[in-house]
Amino acid sequence: MSFRAILITKTEQGQKAELTRLEESELMEGDVTVDVTHSSVNYKDGLAITGTSPIARRFPLIPGIDFAGVVRSSSNPRWKAGDQVVLNGYGVGEGHHGGFSEVARVNGDWLVPVPHGWTAADCMSVGVAGYTAMLCVMALEEQGVKPSDGDVLVTGAAGGVGTTAIVILAKLGYRVIASTGRVSEEPFLKSLGAAGVVDRNEFNGPVKPLAKSRWAACIDSVGSVTLANILSQMNPDGTVAACGLAQGMDLPTTVAPFILRGVKLIGINSVATPMPRRLQVWARLQKDLDLAKLHALTTHVSLDQVPQVAADIVAGKVKGRVVVDIRQG
């Protein structure tokens, strides 16, 4: 039985991604086969599809680092046909065929159940980005960051991680300041719960070892000079949760923020989160994420639109979350 999927191939002329039809025999090994109903387009998907960064570790590859759907068949004792499941991480869409496909075959130990009362579309409105945002929020909480401590900065605020982080933090009572290069999105960001908006260029200048302290905490998806400047501006004992590298992998900072202000830099790895923690994150999302606001920042596209959306997300033209309705079109 054939199915539709986005496939990345590589030749001497470079790589390309296009919608094609595959046979189930072309899927990779796994003990659970899922009929995928929804996926989402994340920044990492954009990098993989456009070839901007070497995210894809094998060719040909079905990209898509998350998906949700219904179990068709399973030899894994955790799952049976008809179960609703969601997956993100574990190298899916990087080294293992991913979610931009009508069918996926994966290790059943990578799957979690769709939260009670939620749909597959809800889960993909969250997706890797929202899941990562909640990991960041939990990391701040575990370092003792409280709403009364002061402003929490969210960088890349119009993107998937940023928008979801704003919604969660605002609901929890934090005063959120959104950093974005798209200041025209200020009304949108404030509608999500941001108390203020700052231009990302404020964090693009020369990095001082220490600057005036401004932030009790930060969720950063940008990295590079932006993160270095933010570290220099943290309040004493402030915490930064770092989860992305949209500006770059480098970090041109000094030890000054760490040894003179006690600043903490916490790395967030959403790919290899242990299953107990993974289940905690989804439970927190179900409890602390306003689905109505999540839906307001989500757009829906069809599978054939994914390559263009991927290019747009790398170019910084996409705001909020993009859900792929796999069966549409």
Side-chain angles (χ1 to χ4, degrees):
M1 176 180 173
S2 67
F3 59 92
R4 296 185 308 146
I6 300 290
L7 192 70
I8 302 175
T9 56
K10 190 172 186 179
T11 66
E12 291 180 357
Q13 287 71 43
Q15 75 170 58
K16 64 179 180 177
E18 56 187 353
L19 183 63
T20 188
R21 296 199 75 87
L22 301 173
E23 300 294 326
E24 288 190 32
S25 59
E26 297 178 79
L27 291 171
M28 297 173 70
E29 291 185 1
D31 55 7
V32 178
T33 300
V34 179
D35 288 319
V36 180
T37 61
H38 297 83
S39 185
S40 74
V41 187
N42 299 278
Y43 186 74
K44 186 181 279 187
D45 296 316
L47 296 176
I49 288 174
T50 61
T52 307
S53 183
I55 300 299
R57 299 197 301 269
R58 57 156 289 160
F59 297 94
L61 177 75
I62 300 172
I65 61 174
D66 56 21
F67 67 78
V70 180
V71 173
R72 179 195 297 180
S73 62
S74 171
S75 58
N76 186 299
R78 294 181 63 216
W79 308 106
K80 65 182 185 302
D83 286 343
Q84 296 187 70
V85 293
V86 58
L87 182 147
N88 62 275
Y90 294 107
V92 169
E94 301 176 58
H96 190 99
H97 285 328
F100 295 149
S101 171
E102 292 179 328
V103 184
R105 183 174 295 136
V106 297
N107 183 334
D109 292 336
W110 298 345
L111 299 167
V112 299
V114 169
H116 180 70
W118 280 27
T119 66
D122 291 333
C123 290
M124 286 300 99
S125 289
V126 174
V128 167
Y131 173 86
T132 303
M134 181 55 83
L135 275 172
C136 290
V137 171
M138 292 168 65
L140 298 185
E141 291 175 336
E142 288 159 2
Q143 294 300 319
V145 178
K146 303 180 296 297
S148 59
D149 290 342
D151 291 350
V152 178
L153 180 68
V154 174
T155 66
V161 174
T163 48
T164 316
I166 291 169
V167 171
I168 296 169
L169 289 166
K171 183 178 179 183
L172 293 173
Y174 292 88
R175 187 174 188 274
V176 184
I177 305 299
S179 166
T180 180
R182 293 175 270 176
V183 290
S184 61
E185 300 293 353
E186 182 169 352
F188 167 68
L189 294 169
K190 287 187 172 179
S191 75
L192 300 180
V197 175
V198 295
D199 191 313
R200 69 181 179 195
N201 287 325
E202 289 192 25
F203 309 105
N204 269 338
V207 180
K208 299 178 181 178
L210 288 176
K212 181 181 178 181
S213 58
R214 302 172 67 183
W215 318 110
C218 173
I219 293 176
D220 176 61
S221 59
V222 177
S224 191
V225 172
T226 292
L227 177 54
N229 271 304
I230 289 165
L231 288 167
S232 76
Q233 297 176 11
M234 296 303 296
N235 293 351
D237 298 316
T239 301
V240 178
C243 64
L245 43 70
Q247 190 176 39
M249 292 184 67
D250 61 317
L251 185 57
T253 189
T254 71
V255 297
F258 308 110
I259 64 174
L260 298 179
R261 287 187 181 162
V263 172
K264 297 177 284 291
L265 177 60
I266 308 298
I268 304 299
N269 177 2
S270 64
V271 174
T273 315
M275 185 55 69
R277 178 74 160 184
R278 197 171 284 268
L279 294 171
Q280 281 183 335
V281 173
W282 282 102
R284 282 293 305 273
L285 284 162
Q286 188 177 21
K287 173 176 176 284
D288 291 325
L289 181 58
D290 185 330
L291 277 183
K293 286 191 174 181
L294 182 66
H295 293 154
L297 61 86
T298 301
T299 56
H300 290 253
V301 300
S302 58
L303 191 57
D304 63 336
Q305 293 174 284
V306 166
Q308 182 59 56
V309 175
D312 288 344
I313 203 169
V314 172
K317 298 178 181 178
V318 173
K319 73 176 182 180
R321 298 285 296 134
V322 179
V323 170
V324 185
D325 295 324
I326 297 293
R327 303 289 162 169
Q328 177 184 322

